[in-house]
């Protein structure tokens, strides 16, 4: 089979033997990334890269799960030969014995699928984005209302990520930018229907429970050698992480592609900042000692030096709904920022307010 259809998504091999995913989800004009404030997120942002997660890094155990692979019948020997043959170049009989044992087990071809996943997951990474700017659950879930959101023009960041992946040294591959296929039931894919594992791979990294559809997620999927496997993040594994170099999971982009940065409503708080109202428009914020001090300092100085004309701050206002009732809506306000020293800044409110409807 060279094509697989599930939930109005079509996973197919094109004339160049590349896998494409056809769907009716409209590509957004802009795409967004939410971050909490911590050492890792600030390092990624200030050094202009996305971290391409291993499936074990994802916050849903069933997301991109190897349990979504299964087979309804014993696999043909060519699967084992093409995948494991290089390990048995001098002893084909040993490979055949492994094959015969594996297809006869009660858990059909479990050995093959387990080995395949170990090798494969070391070579794939997922970068999650959202198509929805005003996402009331994303702010608390991913930033605790204290983090930040960055905005990109979709076409620009997509082309830039693809170019940078292909220009890196090594056997790297850009696998696509794909909307998540949200589904009521997570249906495993029968790998015995396909000549190789490419279509099944795209399928399992693309479907996700419909309970997550509020995220409006789009994903960059990419492949590099030795991206690492965080075994320690899986329950009852007992295995040490396979780690080569953390940078192998970095997907770089040009920093000038950031269109906006919006800080969370509770980004500046009196636990972590000394806040002084200079007048009705100007507010001085000075960092206090806290466990996130270095990350906050690094972020604010980066914003001042690179994004001072692209800075927004989350807010809230009353709006009248169709029933003439007052209701609360999220907003963002453009801010001006000046630096007094590396831990002290003056924010100026512009009253340029955007309603997040």
């Amino acid at each position: 089979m060279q094509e697989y259809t599930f939930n109005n998504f079509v996973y197919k091999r094109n004339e160049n033997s590349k896998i494409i995913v056809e769907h009716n989800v409209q590509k957004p004009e802009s795409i967004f990334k939410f971050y909490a404030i911590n050492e890792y997120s600030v390092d990624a942002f200030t050094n202009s890269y996305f971290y391409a997660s291993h499936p074990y890094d994802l916050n849903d155990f069933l997301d991109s799960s190897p349990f979504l692979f299964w087979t309804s019948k014993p696999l043909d020997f060519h699967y084992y030969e093409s995948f494991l043959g290089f390990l048995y170049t001098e002893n084909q009989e040993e490979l055949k014995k492994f094959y015969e044992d594996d297809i006869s087990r009660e858990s059909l071809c479990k050995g093959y699928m387990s080995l395949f996943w170990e090798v494969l997951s070391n070579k794939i990474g997922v970068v999650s984005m959202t198509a929805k700017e005003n996402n009331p659950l994303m702010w608390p879930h991913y930033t605790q209302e204290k983090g930040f959101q960055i905005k990109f023009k979709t076409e620009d960041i997509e082309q830039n990520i693809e170019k940078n992946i292909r220009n890196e040294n090594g056997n790297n591959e850009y696998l696509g930018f794909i909307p998540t296929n949200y589904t009521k039931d997570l249906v495993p894919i029968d790998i015995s229907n396909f000549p190789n594992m490419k279509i099944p791979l795209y399928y399992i990294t693309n479907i996700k429970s419909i309970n997550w559809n509020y995220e409006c997620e789009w994903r960059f999927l990419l492949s590099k050698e030795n991206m690492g496997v965080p075994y320690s993040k899986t329950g009852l594994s007992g295995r040490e992480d396979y780690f080569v170099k953390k940078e192998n999971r970095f997907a770089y982009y040009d920093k000038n592609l950031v269109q906006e940065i919006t800080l969370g409503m509770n980004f500046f708080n009196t636990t972590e900042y000394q806040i002084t109202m200079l007048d009705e428009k100007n507010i001085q914020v000075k960092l206090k000692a806290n466990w996130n001090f270095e990350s906050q300092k690094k972020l604010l100085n980066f914003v001042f030096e690179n994004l001072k004309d692209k800075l927004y701050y989350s807010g809230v206002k009353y709006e009248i709904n169709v029933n003439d009732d007052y209701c609360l809506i999220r907003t963002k306000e453009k801010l001006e920022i000046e630096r007094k020293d590396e831990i002290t800044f003056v924010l100026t409110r512009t009253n340029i307010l955007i309603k997040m409807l």
Side-chain angles (χ1 to χ4, degrees):
M1 186 185 296
Q2 299 294 323
E3 183 176 305
Y4 182 68
T5 300
F6 181 82
N7 198 28
N8 297 318
F9 278 58
V10 182
Y11 308 85
K12 62 192 298 184
R13 183 190 296 267
N14 68 12
E15 62 276 7
N16 298 318
S17 295
K18 299 290 185 182
I19 307 302
I20 58 173
V21 182
E22 295 178 348
H23 53 82
N24 58 9
V25 183
Q26 184 175 356
K27 185 181 292 186
E29 182 178 341
S30 298
I31 201 80
F32 304 86
K33 183 76 172 174
F34 285 86
Y35 283 116
I37 286 285
N38 58 51
E39 174 187 353
Y40 304 105
S41 63
V42 171
D43 186 74
F45 176 57
T46 57
N47 288 290
S48 304
Y49 68 83
F50 298 125
Y51 184 81
S53 299
H54 184 280
Y56 293 159
D57 291 316
L58 303 177
N59 54 11
D60 180 355
F61 174 69
L62 298 179
D63 184 357
S64 304
S65 168
F67 292 107
L68 290 167
F69 292 137
W70 82 292
T71 179
S72 61
K73 60 187 179 182
L75 295 175
D76 189 85
F77 181 67
H78 87 266
Y79 284 86
Y80 292 74
E81 191 172 36
S82 61
F83 174 52
L84 298 171
F86 74 97
L87 295 174
Y88 298 90
T89 53
E90 298 180 1
N91 195 340
Q92 282 290 299
E93 291 304 314
E94 191 175 339
L95 176 59
K96 288 178 181 177
K97 184 178 185 306
F98 173 74
Y99 168 71
E100 290 166 1
D101 289 345
D102 201 42
I103 64 172
S104 65
R105 292 173 182 163
E106 182 179 351
S107 51
L108 200 60
C109 300
K110 181 180 178 181
Y112 171 85
M113 288 186 283
S114 177
L115 283 170
F116 185 87
W117 180 247
E118 285 197 28
V119 173
L120 178 70
S121 67
N122 180 42
K123 299 173 66 172
I124 60 169
V126 175
V127 177
S128 298
M129 313 288 284
T130 178
K132 191 172 182 182
E133 178 177 18
N134 180 27
N135 200 321
L137 293 180
M138 295 288 279
W139 275 109
H141 284 183
Y142 289 93
T143 80
Q144 295 78 53
E145 302 285 5
K146 292 174 61 177
F148 58 101
Q149 175 206 73
I150 50 177
K151 175 182 179 180
F152 300 91
K153 185 177 179 181
T154 304
E155 290 292 336
D156 290 346
I157 191 66
E158 183 179 4
Q159 292 172 13
N160 190 243
I161 290 289
E162 180 175 9
K163 179 194 72 174
N164 290 339
I165 290 294
R166 290 178 172 170
N167 286 345
E168 289 180 6
N169 295 327
N171 188 23
N172 301 334
E173 189 175 1
Y174 175 80
L175 302 178
F177 185 55
I178 310 166
T180 296
N181 184 352
Y182 295 107
T183 174
K184 180 178 180 293
D185 297 310
L186 295 172
V187 179
I189 187 168
D190 188 349
I191 64 174
S192 67
N193 290 327
F194 303 91
N196 57 50
M197 296 287 278
K198 286 189 175 181
I199 286 177
L201 167 64
Y202 273 76
Y203 173 77
I204 75 160
T205 55
N206 184 233
I207 68 165
K208 196 170 179 178
S209 168
I210 199 169
N211 294 306
W212 292 97
N213 67 352
Y214 71 88
E215 292 186 334
C216 302
E217 184 180 1
W218 283 69
R219 288 179 165 179
F220 291 106
L221 192 65
L222 53 98
S223 175
K224 298 183 185 181
E225 296 294 330
N226 287 316
M227 298 180 80
V229 183
Y231 291 111
S232 62
K233 294 186 177 182
T234 62
L236 298 178
S237 167
R239 300 185 63 176
E240 297 293 329
D241 291 344
Y242 174 67
F243 178 80
V244 179
K245 186 179 177 184
K246 66 179 182 179
E247 288 81 1
N248 289 355
R249 286 201 171 271
F250 293 177
Y252 287 95
Y253 60 85
D254 295 346
K255 68 180 181 181
N256 61 0
L257 294 183
V258 176
Q259 291 192 303
E260 295 175 3
I261 177 170
T262 301
L263 305 180
M265 189 178 297
N266 297 330
F267 184 95
F268 296 111
N269 59 80
T270 53
T271 300
E272 297 165 343
Y273 292 86
Q274 178 182 318
I275 301 173
T276 306
M277 306 299 296
L278 302 178
D279 53 46
E280 290 184 355
K281 292 179 60 177
N282 296 291
I283 307 161
Q284 179 175 288
V285 293
K286 182 176 182 178
L287 264 167
K288 297 179 182 179
N290 70 86
W291 71 277
N292 240 344
F293 179 89
E294 291 299 329
S295 295
Q296 292 163 322
K297 181 176 73 171
K298 186 176 182 180
L299 176 66
L300 288 174
N301 280 280
F302 181 84
V303 169
F304 173 76
E305 292 164 5
N306 299 278
L307 299 165
K308 62 184 299 183
D309 59 336
K310 300 176 180 179
L311 175 62
Y312 290 81
Y313 197 76
S314 297
V316 65
K317 74 180 295 289
Y318 290 108
E319 193 78 0
I320 297 176
N321 66 16
V322 294
N323 298 318
D324 290 329
D325 295 323
Y326 282 101
C327 59
L328 286 172
I329 64 166
R330 287 180 180 262
T331 64
K332 64 179 184 181
E333 180 181 1
K334 199 170 193 317
L335 286 186
E336 295 174 356
I337 184 170
E338 293 299 331
R339 181 169 61 188
K340 297 184 74 173
D341 57 54
E342 65 177 5
I343 64 168
T344 309
F345 299 84
V346 174
L347 308 171
T348 301
R349 300 188 63 173
T350 66
N351 293 321
I352 300 174
L353 202 68
I354 298 173
K355 295 187 291 185
M356 313 301 292
L357 298 176

